[in-house]
């Protein structure tokens, strides 16, 4: 099994443009998300206009609600983003900003209806952030086939087979020092963090 996973890791890296595969689990249940008390990854990602965003600089500005979702094609993700939009004003009053990251390309993000100075969508289309956060995993073949046929997700060809990695949906609350103060990740993509819990986590972080 280890040899098989290693093979997929090496082969997948050849098809992800400029991406280095270092931490992609075999299943969503085997991911290892970063825990509170650890510094959040400070990478550079693209926004919907193709501008490079320095996450380290963004962390220093305000408390950050970092939302990792699977993509705009996912109805559960869309509902989650909409739910967070509903509490956006409360989060802003507590001094927080919202940064939502997905494997969607900048071009795909440009089609989103999310538009707010306190709510930014960023592209992790090379899966670097998802890997750094410990959230990335490979889809099994049956799921990959269903997603391709029904949802139009982009896939790479791996030795005659379609293979793709996605992030386990997660929410992190990060303080202005870049330290993770709260984390929620669930391998069951249908179960998302309740907005009331998120508000409580941000309130606690704002009082530190």
């Amino acid at each position: 099994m280890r040899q098989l996973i290693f093979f997929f890791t090496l082969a997948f890296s050849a098809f992800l443009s400029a991406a280095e595969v270092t931490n992609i689990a075999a299943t969503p249940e085997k991911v290892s998300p970063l825990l509170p008390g650890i510094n959040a990854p400070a990478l550079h990602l693209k926004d919907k206009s193709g501008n490079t965003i320095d996450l380290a600089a963004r962390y220093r500005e305000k408390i950050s609600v970092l939302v990792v979702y699977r993509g705009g094609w996912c109805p559960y993700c869309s509902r989650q983003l909409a739910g967070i939009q509903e509490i956006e004003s409360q989060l802003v009053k507590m001094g927080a900003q919202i940064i939502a990251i997905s494997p969607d390309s900048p071009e795909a993000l440009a089609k989103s209806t999310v538009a707010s100075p306190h709510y930014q969508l960023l592209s992790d289309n090379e899966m670097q952030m998802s890997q750094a956060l410990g959230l990335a995993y490979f889809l099994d073949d049956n799921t990959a086939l269903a997603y391709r046929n029904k949802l139009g997700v982009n896939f790479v060809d791996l030795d005659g087979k379609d293979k793709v990695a996605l992030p386990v949906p997660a929410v992190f609350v990060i303080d202005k020092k870049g330290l993770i103060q709260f984390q929620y990740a669930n391998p069951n993509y249908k179960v998302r963090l309740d907005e009331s819990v998120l508000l409580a986590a941000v309130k606690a972080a704002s009082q530190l």
Side-chain angles (χ1 to χ4, degrees):
M1 179 59 72
R2 290 183 178 178
Q3 290 181 338
L4 181 62
I5 294 174
F6 180 68
F7 165 77
F8 279 145
T9 300
L10 287 179
F12 192 78
S13 64
F15 292 93
L16 278 177
S17 175
E20 180 181 357
V21 177
T22 59
N23 186 27
I24 301 183
T27 68
E29 291 78 17
K30 292 183 178 180
V31 300
S32 299
L34 295 186
L35 299 173
I38 296 177
N39 287 319
L43 305 183
H44 292 78
L45 300 177
K46 300 287 187 179
D47 65 13
K48 63 182 181 180
S49 299
N51 300 313
T52 299
I53 304 300
D54 181 354
L55 285 177
R58 294 301 307 272
Y59 296 155
R60 290 193 293 269
E61 293 173 0
K62 299 178 180 180
I63 294 172
S64 298
V65 174
L66 184 67
V67 182
V68 181
Y69 65 106
R70 304 194 308 160
W73 51 267
C74 171
Y76 298 94
C77 298
S78 296
R79 284 197 289 270
Q80 180 186 30
L81 295 181
I84 294 175
Q85 273 190 293
E86 292 179 359
I87 62 169
E88 178 182 347
S89 61
Q90 298 177 69
L91 292 171
V92 171
K93 287 181 180 179
M94 288 188 278
Q97 61 183 340
I98 305 159
I99 303 172
I101 296 173
S102 78
D104 284 341
S105 66
E107 293 77 14
L109 294 180
K111 300 176 183 178
S112 172
T113 57
V114 175
S116 167
H118 308 290
Y119 201 137
Q120 185 168 39
L121 302 182
L122 298 180
S123 171
D124 184 32
N125 60 336
E126 295 179 1
M127 294 294 290
Q128 293 178 338
M129 188 66 173
S130 294
Q131 292 183 76
L133 289 167
L135 298 171
Y137 70 96
F138 284 118
L139 270 67
D140 64 81
D141 291 339
N142 289 336
T143 303
L145 180 62
Y147 276 31
R148 177 174 187 143
N149 289 342
K150 296 180 180 180
L151 300 174
V153 182
N154 292 326
F155 286 80
V156 297
D157 183 72
L158 189 148
D159 194 27
K161 295 183 178 180
D162 290 320
K163 202 71 179 178
V164 74
L166 286 177
V168 165
V171 178
F172 298 83
V173 176
I174 303 166
D175 66 21
K176 290 194 286 187
K177 294 181 181 180
L179 199 68
I180 297 172
Q181 295 293 340
F182 172 87
Q183 174 257 84
Y184 175 88
N186 195 324
N188 184 349
Y189 65 86
K190 296 180 181 180
V191 180
R192 302 303 172 96
L193 180 68
D194 188 90
E195 287 82 10
S196 64
V197 178
L198 177 56
L199 286 170
V202 173
K203 181 179 180 180
S206 69
Q207 296 174 344
L208 293 176

